[in-house]
Each structure stands twice: as structure tokens, then as C-alpha cells.
Amino acid sequence: MKGGDMADKTLFQKIADGDIPSEMLYEDDVCFAIRDINPQAPVHFLVIPRRPIPTLNHLEKADEDLVGHLFTVAAKLAMEEELTDGYRTVFNCGRHGQQTVNHLHLHVLGGRQLKWPPG
Ligand code: AMP
């Protein structure tokens, strides 16, 4: 790898490329899913597009199929994780949304009774 390339990658690109270890739950050409390193529920995983779209605000019309795919993968994995009593999907966006990694990712949380509204 050429100097600088590594620094240009997002955290989630580094995980997808195997530069940083993670528990990979699912992979296809469009997205992948990993367990969150700091789980906020008994089951907490992230569904992540391979393309490093920074935030929800960077989505374009042409990305609508991609976003739909993230949700169908999330639902399939939620059933594999036996979240039959329900679960929550979340895209954090920007500072007030407490997004910390600028590479779009769909959180899936479950395995306990979640509260509403969130903090
Ligand atoms: P957000 O705050 O919405 O941007 O979510 C980023 C998520 O990435 C957080 O829930 C972090 O715990 C999670 N995270 C950070 N580093 C890693 C990692 N190396 N492997 C898995 N999840 C991570």
C-alpha cells in the first residue's frame, strides 16, 4: 500500500479491508455487518455500506436502493440473532445525533427492552 492511503481510509474501511480486526457477521458486494465494539444492548451490530458515504446528508437519489438494502440485511441478521421480540435501527447523523464515525452505518440494537425517547 502506498503511503497515505491507509490514513485516507475510514475506520470502517480499515475493518472491511482487514486492517483492524472485528467480528464480521455478514458481507456482500454492497455492505457488511460487524458487532459493535462497545455494545449498548445484548445484541448491537452495525450494517455498513462499503462505499464510505460520510453521513445521511450525503445520500443521493441514486443511493435509495442501497439504503433499502441496508435495512433488509439488518432485518435478516436481526432474525439470525434471534431478536424475535423486536429491535431498534438507528442512523446517527452529525453532532446532535452523536455520530462519531463519518462513514454511514445503521445500528441494530436488541436483546433487552429499549426505552423511548432515547437520551
Ligand atoms: P456512531 O457514534 O453512530 O458514529 O457509531 C459508531 C459506532 O462504532 C459506535 O457504536 C462505536 O462503539 C463503534 N465502533 C467504534 N470502533 C469500532 C470497532 N473497531 N469495531 C466495531 N465497532 C466500533
Side-chain angles (χ1 to χ4, degrees):
M1 174 173 291
K2 289 190 298 241
D5 288 359
M6 183 76 173
D8 294 339
K9 287 190 197 177
T10 69
L11 170 68
F12 294 147
Q13 283 180 298
K14 290 177 189 168
I15 287 174
D17 291 349
D19 302 334
I20 294 175
S22 182
E23 187 181 342
M24 191 67 72
L25 295 179
Y26 176 86
E27 284 191 88
D28 65 25
D29 289 347
V30 174
C31 71
F32 60 99
I34 58 171
R35 273 194 214 286
D36 198 291
I37 202 168
N38 182 23
Q40 301 301 311
V43 176
H44 184 180
F45 61 88
L46 307 171
V47 184
I48 306 167
R50 291 193 182 277
R51 188 153 54 86
I53 300 164
T55 79
L56 277 182
N57 292 333
H58 295 79
L59 287 172
E60 297 180 357
K61 185 87 182 152
D63 297 321
E64 288 178 355
D65 284 352
L66 165 78
V67 174
H69 183 65
L70 300 181
F71 277 108
T72 55
V73 168
K76 168 184 145 58
L77 293 177
M79 289 306 99
E80 288 179 14
E81 294 288 319
E82 302 182 340
L83 299 180
T84 48
D85 287 334
Y87 54 92
R88 185 168 295 161
T89 56
V90 177
F91 281 111
N92 292 329
C93 184
R95 187 166 62 89
H96 278 186
Q98 288 216 312
Q99 182 176 1
T100 59
V101 178
N102 282 326
H103 179 152
L104 195 73
H105 49 284
L106 180 59
H107 292 261
V108 182
L109 302 116
R112 66 170 169 82
Q113 180 62 57
L114 298 170
K115 297 191 176 110
W116 192 263

